[in-house]
Amino acid sequence: MNSLTEKIRARIADKGMITFAEFMNMALYEPEQGYYQKKNPFGHQGSFYTSVNASASFGRTLANAFADTAERLSLPACFCEMGAGSGMLANDILTHLKTSKPEFYAGLSYTIIEKSGYLIDCQRELLKEHEGKVSWKSFEEFGGFQGIFFSNELVDAFPVHRVIRLGEDVKELYVIEHEGGLTFYPDRLSTPKIQEYLDRINLRITDGQIVDLNLDMIGWVQALASKIEKGMVFTVDYGYPAENIFASYRRDGTVTCYFKHSQNNDFFERIGDQDITAFVDFTSLQSYGRDAGLEPVSLTPQWLFLVQSGILSEIENAETDLQKASVKALIMPEGGFGTNFFVLAQRRNVEIPDDFPYRKGAKETLDILAKMNGF
């Protein structure tokens, strides 16, 4: 038994039971012991791949998208990435802009918000070439921002509350110790915010169905809105609108674990050594964001967002079949990244022109591309 497991057991012994959100927070973020606090979990050496690992074309395409957006909307050349992970995406973006848009790069300020000291060290090492261009802040000290704020696979790692309907009652699934192991136990809701969340999206859970509710997401988007003075927010993550996330056929919720690139539902095994994640409810993220002052602009499947941002040129310019395949993995259904991921664009105190690319649907986008290519 590792020391983090012992710490969790001690917390349960003290309180009788803890919410799954509290368990997940400790498993992922406990200082020096949580999964994101002690190692680089990304890529081959970690537990999972992201779009960043699939191809550097992802970062180059986002670089073009964000620079173009800043210029279209007359925003300062300021980027802020929250949850930068290994730093690969920041490096891909900055390296591309340095060579392709040197004037924009010269005036660019790049801020990273990261709470893992270990990952900050990794980022500083990887981004040495861009020394003086990048700064680090905590979310608490970040504010008054004007520019492009974005995240990639951040919100899915926020702790979630697990809720189940048993007959006519809606219960929360707590974590308890039973017969020498950790397990779930249904009891009263830990906070009225859970019922408020369910009522807001008019969700009727079916008997025996588990749903995973990301209350931390609410606090995050509300705080974020107050920190953006003028700009755009792009949230890239895997998930769906609420009607899909909470569909009755999803009997067991969406929380899952990743260990050495294999998915499992062994929540109480390898604590601190495996990732725990859940699908993002983009409907609620938009709704709570709107109330706080972040107006939704578009919710776009990642494949379409990348196509609208010019990723097809990456395929045309690829020098090998392997490079072409890695780009296609970002936008083709069999790749997973293109269809399971969405990009939510939100704005604050900026006007969006009619020709803004991310307001266009798939058919209009593909029609434009066809005309551009003479079809």
Short mmCIF file of all heavy atoms in Angstrom, two decimals, residues 131-161:
data_model
loop_
_atom_site.label_atom_id
_atom_site.label_comp_id
_atom_site.label_asym_id
_atom_site.label_seq_id
_atom_site.Cartn_x
_atom_site.Cartn_y
_atom_site.Cartn_z
N GLU A 131 13.08 31.46 -24.10
CA GLU A 131 13.30 32.16 -22.84
C GLU A 131 13.03 33.65 -23.01
O GLU A 131 13.44 34.27 -23.99
CB GLU A 131 14.74 31.95 -22.37
CG GLU A 131 15.02 32.49 -20.98
CD GLU A 131 16.42 32.15 -20.50
OE1 GLU A 131 17.14 31.42 -21.23
OE2 GLU A 131 16.80 32.62 -19.42
N GLY A 132 12.32 34.21 -22.05
CA GLY A 132 11.94 35.61 -22.11
C GLY A 132 10.60 35.84 -22.77
O GLY A 132 10.01 36.91 -22.64
N LYS A 133 10.12 34.82 -23.48
CA LYS A 133 8.83 34.91 -24.16
C LYS A 133 7.71 34.33 -23.30
O LYS A 133 6.54 34.70 -23.45
CB LYS A 133 8.92 34.13 -25.49
CG LYS A 133 7.73 34.24 -26.41
CD LYS A 133 7.51 35.63 -26.94
CE LYS A 133 8.68 36.17 -27.71
NZ LYS A 133 8.42 37.54 -28.22
N VAL A 134 8.09 33.41 -22.40
CA VAL A 134 7.12 32.66 -21.61
C VAL A 134 7.22 33.02 -20.13
O VAL A 134 8.33 33.18 -19.60
CB VAL A 134 7.34 31.14 -21.77
CG1 VAL A 134 6.24 30.36 -21.06
CG2 VAL A 134 7.41 30.76 -23.25
N SER A 135 6.07 33.15 -19.48
CA SER A 135 6.03 33.38 -18.03
C SER A 135 5.03 32.42 -17.41
O SER A 135 4.14 31.90 -18.09
CB SER A 135 5.67 34.83 -17.71
OG SER A 135 4.37 35.14 -18.20
N TRP A 136 5.18 32.19 -16.12
CA TRP A 136 4.30 31.28 -15.40
C TRP A 136 3.55 32.03 -14.30
O TRP A 136 4.13 32.88 -13.60
CB TRP A 136 5.10 30.14 -14.78
CG TRP A 136 5.50 29.09 -15.76
CD1 TRP A 136 4.90 27.88 -15.96
CD2 TRP A 136 6.60 29.13 -16.69
NE1 TRP A 136 5.54 27.18 -16.95
CE2 TRP A 136 6.60 27.92 -17.42
CE3 TRP A 136 7.58 30.08 -16.97
CZ2 TRP A 136 7.52 27.63 -18.40
CZ3 TRP A 136 8.51 29.81 -17.97
CH2 TRP A 136 8.48 28.60 -18.67
N LYS A 137 2.26 31.72 -14.16
CA LYS A 137 1.45 32.32 -13.11
C LYS A 137 0.53 31.25 -12.52
O LYS A 137 0.22 30.24 -13.17
CB LYS A 137 0.58 33.46 -13.66
CG LYS A 137 1.31 34.73 -14.01
CD LYS A 137 0.33 35.82 -14.42
CE LYS A 137 1.06 37.12 -14.72
NZ LYS A 137 0.11 38.20 -15.11
N SER A 138 0.08 31.50 -11.30
CA SER A 138 -0.98 30.68 -10.74
C SER A 138 -2.32 31.22 -11.22
O SER A 138 -2.41 32.39 -11.63
CB SER A 138 -0.92 30.71 -9.21
OG SER A 138 -1.28 31.99 -8.73
N PHE A 139 -3.34 30.41 -11.16
CA PHE A 139 -4.67 30.86 -11.58
C PHE A 139 -5.16 31.98 -10.67
O PHE A 139 -5.87 32.89 -11.13
CB PHE A 139 -5.65 29.70 -11.56
CG PHE A 139 -6.97 29.98 -12.23
CD1 PHE A 139 -7.02 30.47 -13.53
CD2 PHE A 139 -8.16 29.74 -11.57
CE1 PHE A 139 -8.24 30.73 -14.16
CE2 PHE A 139 -9.38 29.98 -12.18
CZ PHE A 139 -9.42 30.49 -13.48
N GLU A 140 -4.75 31.94 -9.42
CA GLU A 140 -5.19 32.95 -8.46
C GLU A 140 -4.63 34.33 -8.81
O GLU A 140 -5.32 35.35 -8.68
CB GLU A 140 -4.78 32.56 -7.05
CG GLU A 140 -5.53 31.36 -6.46
CD GLU A 140 -5.16 30.04 -7.11
OE1 GLU A 140 -4.02 29.93 -7.66
OE2 GLU A 140 -6.00 29.11 -7.10
N GLU A 141 -3.38 34.40 -9.25
CA GLU A 141 -2.78 35.70 -9.54
C GLU A 141 -3.02 36.17 -10.97
O GLU A 141 -2.74 37.32 -11.32
CB GLU A 141 -1.28 35.66 -9.28
CG GLU A 141 -0.49 34.69 -10.14
CD GLU A 141 0.98 34.61 -9.74
OE1 GLU A 141 1.43 35.47 -8.98
OE2 GLU A 141 1.66 33.66 -10.18
N PHE A 142 -3.56 35.30 -11.79
CA PHE A 142 -3.89 35.65 -13.18
C PHE A 142 -5.13 36.54 -13.21
O PHE A 142 -6.10 36.30 -12.50
CB PHE A 142 -4.14 34.36 -13.96
CG PHE A 142 -4.67 34.56 -15.36
CD1 PHE A 142 -3.85 35.03 -16.36
CD2 PHE A 142 -5.98 34.26 -15.66
CE1 PHE A 142 -4.32 35.19 -17.65
CE2 PHE A 142 -6.47 34.41 -16.94
CZ PHE A 142 -5.64 34.88 -17.94
N GLY A 143 -5.12 37.58 -14.05
CA GLY A 143 -6.30 38.44 -14.16
C GLY A 143 -6.06 39.61 -15.09
O GLY A 143 -4.93 39.88 -15.53
N GLY A 144 -7.15 40.33 -15.42
CA GLY A 144 -7.06 41.47 -16.30
C GLY A 144 -6.52 41.13 -17.68
O GLY A 144 -5.88 41.96 -18.33
N PHE A 145 -6.82 39.94 -18.15
CA PHE A 145 -6.19 39.42 -19.37
C PHE A 145 -6.90 39.91 -20.62
O PHE A 145 -8.13 39.94 -20.70
CB PHE A 145 -6.19 37.90 -19.34
CG PHE A 145 -5.55 37.26 -20.54
CD1 PHE A 145 -4.17 37.25 -20.69
CD2 PHE A 145 -6.33 36.67 -21.54
CE1 PHE A 145 -3.58 36.66 -21.80
CE2 PHE A 145 -5.74 36.08 -22.64
CZ PHE A 145 -4.36 36.08 -22.77
N GLN A 146 -6.12 40.25 -21.62
CA GLN A 146 -6.61 40.56 -22.96
C GLN A 146 -5.84 39.71 -23.96
O GLN A 146 -4.61 39.75 -23.99
CB GLN A 146 -6.43 42.05 -23.29
CG GLN A 146 -7.24 42.99 -22.42
CD GLN A 146 -7.19 44.42 -22.92
OE1 GLN A 146 -6.96 44.68 -24.10
NE2 GLN A 146 -7.42 45.36 -22.03
N GLY A 147 -6.55 38.93 -24.77
CA GLY A 147 -5.88 38.09 -25.74
C GLY A 147 -6.61 36.77 -25.93
O GLY A 147 -7.83 36.69 -25.85
N ILE A 148 -5.83 35.72 -26.18
CA ILE A 148 -6.35 34.38 -26.45
C ILE A 148 -6.02 33.47 -25.27
O ILE A 148 -4.84 33.22 -24.97
CB ILE A 148 -5.74 33.78 -27.73
CG1 ILE A 148 -5.90 34.73 -28.92
CG2 ILE A 148 -6.36 32.41 -28.02
CD1 ILE A 148 -7.33 34.98 -29.34
N PHE A 149 -7.04 32.98 -24.59
CA PHE A 149 -6.87 32.03 -23.49
C PHE A 149 -7.32 30.66 -24.00
O PHE A 149 -8.39 30.54 -24.62
CB PHE A 149 -7.74 32.45 -22.30
CG PHE A 149 -7.63 31.53 -21.10
CD1 PHE A 149 -6.82 31.87 -20.03
CD2 PHE A 149 -8.34 30.34 -21.05
CE1 PHE A 149 -6.73 31.04 -18.92
CE2 PHE A 149 -8.24 29.49 -19.96
CZ PHE A 149 -7.42 29.85 -18.89
N PHE A 150 -6.53 29.61 -23.73
CA PHE A 150 -6.92 28.29 -24.22
C PHE A 150 -6.43 27.19 -23.30
O PHE A 150 -5.52 27.37 -22.47
CB PHE A 150 -6.40 28.06 -25.64
CG PHE A 150 -4.90 27.97 -25.76
CD1 PHE A 150 -4.27 26.74 -25.83
CD2 PHE A 150 -4.13 29.11 -25.80
CE1 PHE A 150 -2.89 26.66 -25.95
CE2 PHE A 150 -2.75 29.05 -25.92
CZ PHE A 150 -2.12 27.81 -25.99
N SER A 151 -7.05 26.05 -23.46
CA SER A 151 -6.63 24.85 -22.73
C SER A 151 -6.86 23.64 -23.62
O SER A 151 -7.73 23.65 -24.49
CB SER A 151 -7.42 24.69 -21.42
OG SER A 151 -8.81 24.53 -21.67
N ASN A 152 -6.08 22.59 -23.39
CA ASN A 152 -6.22 21.34 -24.13
C ASN A 152 -6.22 20.20 -23.14
O ASN A 152 -5.24 19.97 -22.44
CB ASN A 152 -5.06 21.17 -25.13
CG ASN A 152 -5.16 19.87 -25.91
OD1 ASN A 152 -6.18 19.59 -26.53
ND2 ASN A 152 -4.12 19.06 -25.87
N GLU A 153 -7.34 19.50 -23.07
CA GLU A 153 -7.51 18.38 -22.13
C GLU A 153 -7.21 18.82 -20.70
O GLU A 153 -6.44 18.17 -19.98
CB GLU A 153 -6.65 17.19 -22.55
CG GLU A 153 -7.08 16.61 -23.89
CD GLU A 153 -6.50 15.23 -24.16
OE1 GLU A 153 -6.64 14.36 -23.29
OE2 GLU A 153 -5.91 15.05 -25.24
N LEU A 154 -7.85 19.88 -20.28
CA LEU A 154 -7.75 20.38 -18.91
C LEU A 154 -8.98 20.03 -18.10
O LEU A 154 -8.89 19.43 -17.03
CB LEU A 154 -7.56 21.90 -18.92
CG LEU A 154 -7.69 22.61 -17.57
CD1 LEU A 154 -6.47 22.30 -16.70
CD2 LEU A 154 -7.86 24.12 -17.76
N VAL A 155 -10.16 20.38 -18.62
CA VAL A 155 -11.40 20.26 -17.84
C VAL A 155 -11.74 18.81 -17.55
O VAL A 155 -12.33 18.50 -16.51
CB VAL A 155 -12.55 20.98 -18.58
CG1 VAL A 155 -13.84 20.91 -17.77
CG2 VAL A 155 -12.19 22.43 -18.86
N ASP A 156 -11.35 17.89 -18.43
CA ASP A 156 -11.65 16.47 -18.20
C ASP A 156 -10.93 15.92 -16.98
O ASP A 156 -11.26 14.85 -16.47
CB ASP A 156 -11.31 15.63 -19.43
CG ASP A 156 -9.82 15.58 -19.71
OD1 ASP A 156 -9.12 14.79 -19.06
OD2 ASP A 156 -9.33 16.34 -20.57
N ALA A 157 -9.91 16.65 -16.50
CA ALA A 157 -9.15 16.19 -15.33
C ALA A 157 -9.61 16.87 -14.04
O ALA A 157 -9.01 16.65 -12.99
CB ALA A 157 -7.66 16.45 -15.55
N PHE A 158 -10.68 17.67 -14.11
CA PHE A 158 -11.25 18.23 -12.88
C PHE A 158 -12.00 17.12 -12.14
O PHE A 158 -12.68 16.30 -12.75
CB PHE A 158 -12.23 19.36 -13.20
CG PHE A 158 -11.59 20.63 -13.71
CD1 PHE A 158 -12.38 21.68 -14.11
CD2 PHE A 158 -10.21 20.78 -13.78
CE1 PHE A 158 -11.83 22.87 -14.58
CE2 PHE A 158 -9.63 21.96 -14.24
CZ PHE A 158 -10.45 23.00 -14.64
N PRO A 159 -11.93 17.10 -10.82
CA PRO A 159 -12.64 16.08 -10.04
C PRO A 159 -14.16 16.15 -10.25
O PRO A 159 -14.72 17.25 -10.39
CB PRO A 159 -12.27 16.41 -8.59
CG PRO A 159 -10.98 17.15 -8.69
CD PRO A 159 -11.07 17.95 -9.96
N VAL A 160 -14.80 15.00 -10.27
CA VAL A 160 -16.25 14.94 -10.49
C VAL A 160 -16.95 14.25 -9.32
O VAL A 160 -16.37 13.41 -8.63
CB VAL A 160 -16.60 14.20 -11.79
CG1 VAL A 160 -16.06 14.95 -13.00
CG2 VAL A 160 -16.08 12.76 -11.78
N HIS A 161 -18.21 14.62 -9.12
CA HIS A 161 -19.08 13.95 -8.17
C HIS A 161 -19.86 12.87 -8.92
O HIS A 161 -20.39 13.12 -10.00
CB HIS A 161 -20.06 14.94 -7.54
CG HIS A 161 -19.40 15.95 -6.64
ND1 HIS A 161 -19.45 15.86 -5.27
CD2 HIS A 161 -18.68 17.06 -6.93
CE1 HIS A 161 -18.78 16.88 -4.75
NE2 HIS A 161 -18.30 17.62 -5.74
#
